[in-house]
Amino acid sequence: MAQVSSTDPHGSAAVAARIERRWALMVVGIVALLVAIVIFTGLHWAMMPPSRVETIDPTRLHVDGEFIESNLGSAVESDGSVTVRIVGQQYSFTPQCIVVPTKTSVTFRATSSDVVHGMLITGTNINSMLEPGYVATFKTQFDTPGDHLMPCHEYCGVGHEAMWANVKVVDKEDFLKMAAHARRLTCDL
Ligand code: CUA
């Protein structure tokens, strides 16, 4: 080895040493980058927790509070936005047909009265879990009128596959006309 490098400084041993050094530096660089990412995300999430957690007593949903049956469905708020309240239970959603307006800020508030369910609205990015004891809240806006299916996507028992609701997106003007006659709107028959 020593003989090779002294007689041939640009030979294979020197080349190998140079390449090894370069790769060692690269590995140190990758490890340093990963450590930096861990530190950054740790500090970031410590400063900005993912969301507030809202709890609710699942055994009293039907008795009083925000999720009693007469309060479910779509409500127009004083600022013009719409809030939709939904309860999932084995094996249906209440309301069974949800009506929302186009071009309006819509806030969904949903929970479960028994086991973990899921809800997603086909053709949109709306997708959430409904857990007993917790309120799931999310905001969205629908641009075009149309009909969507809202299936439960968490296995919740033998009736899981039959658990779904309809979501009807109607023109904002039509929605407001309907809302003038009802405190809570659904398209349930
Ligand atoms: Cu509810 Cu699956």
Side-chain angles (χ1 to χ4, degrees):
M1 273 270 289
Q3 194 193 358
V4 171
S5 60
S6 62
T7 58
D8 179 16
H10 302 295
S12 56
V15 170
R18 205 165 58 234
I19 292 172
E20 265 179 36
R21 219 166 22 244
R22 193 187 302 154
W23 280 104
L25 276 175
M26 218 177 283
V27 169
V28 169
I30 291 170
V31 170
L33 177 69
L34 291 177
V35 170
I37 291 172
V38 167
I39 292 171
F40 174 80
T41 52
L43 290 175
H44 177 79
W45 289 119
M47 286 185 292
M48 282 182 263
S51 70
R52 74 216 157 92
V53 174
E54 209 178 326
T55 56
I56 192 164
D57 181 355
T59 61
R60 297 190 57 80
L61 293 183
H62 301 296
V63 184
D64 55 31
E66 182 183 349
F67 290 93
I68 52 168
E69 195 154 0
S70 60
N71 204 38
L72 300 178
S74 309
V76 182
E77 304 294 344
S78 52
D79 65 357
S81 68
V82 167
T83 305
V84 185
R85 293 183 179 84
I86 301 167
V87 170
Q89 62 265 305
Q90 287 167 319
Y91 297 100
S92 64
F93 292 101
T94 310
Q96 194 57 49
C97 183
I98 293 151
V99 60
V100 289
T102 55
K103 300 181 175 64
T104 306
S105 172
V106 177
T107 302
F108 284 88
R109 287 178 58 76
T111 190
S112 163
S113 62
D114 41 40
V115 300
V116 176
H117 299 279
M119 59 174 276
L120 70 81
I121 302 180
T122 53
T124 74
N125 64 351
I126 294 165
N127 184 332
S128 181
M129 306 247 292
L130 306 187
E131 293 174 65
Y134 296 90
V135 180
T137 302
F138 44 96
K139 248 190 184 118
T140 190
Q141 183 153 335
F142 297 89
D143 291 326
T144 50
D147 292 316
H148 302 268
L149 282 179
M150 191 181 92
C152 174
H153 63 74
E154 278 300 321
Y155 182 75
C156 51
V158 288
H160 162 69
E161 63 174 34
M163 179 171 173
W164 47 271
N166 293 298
V167 177
K168 209 175 198 36
V169 184
V170 300
D171 270 321
K172 188 176 180 172
E173 291 70 29
D174 298 336
F175 182 88
L176 291 175
K177 265 180 228 156
M178 292 159 70
H181 305 292
R183 195 178 69 92
R184 296 287 179 267
L185 282 180
T186 72
C187 39
D188 286 349
L189 289 173

